[in-house]
Amino acid sequence: MWKATSVVTTLVAGLVADNVVAAGWKLVTGRPAPKEEDQLLDYKLMEVVAFAVISGAALTLTRQLTLRQAAKWYGGKRLNPLTGTRMLES
């Protein structure tokens, strides 16, 4: 059951991160995010690189935070759903 929970969490995190980055990119640059292949030649190389770095960082951060919350929800404070073991109380 944890695998299904983590897959759903990862998909939701990806959608959220993608929408936030695209909206932020449009707000800052005034242009749509360079997502489509036919748009890539309309952007400078550094813009494409910056977008890729920002997108990757946002996706990774959002995924990790949502997985941590899902793990807390799924296993409570005492069960680590990634390993299935009980965690020691600190």
Side-chain angles (χ1 to χ4, degrees):
M1 192 65 184
W2 168 250
K3 288 187 180 190
T5 302
S6 67
V7 167
V8 170
T9 302
T10 300
L11 289 173
V12 170
L15 291 172
V16 169
D18 188 47
N19 288 336
V20 168
V21 169
W25 185 268
K26 178 134 177 115
L27 183 68
V28 171
T29 66
R31 296 170 35 178
K35 294 182 188 179
E36 305 298 326
E37 289 182 23
D38 59 340
Q39 292 177 335
L40 292 179
L41 295 178
D42 296 337
Y43 292 87
K44 295 178 184 174
L45 179 61
M46 289 310 296
E47 289 177 315
V48 174
V49 170
F51 182 76
V53 169
I54 292 167
S55 294
L59 175 61
T60 301
L61 178 64
T62 306
R63 181 177 179 269
Q64 293 301 319
L65 293 175
T66 54
L67 279 175
R68 289 175 64 96
Q69 283 303 117
K72 286 179 185 176
W73 169 81
Y74 183 82
K77 293 184 177 182
R78 295 186 180 167
L79 177 68
N80 182 346
L82 302 176
T83 61
T85 58
R86 299 252 176 232
M87 296 188 299
L88 300 174
E89 303 230 6
S90 50

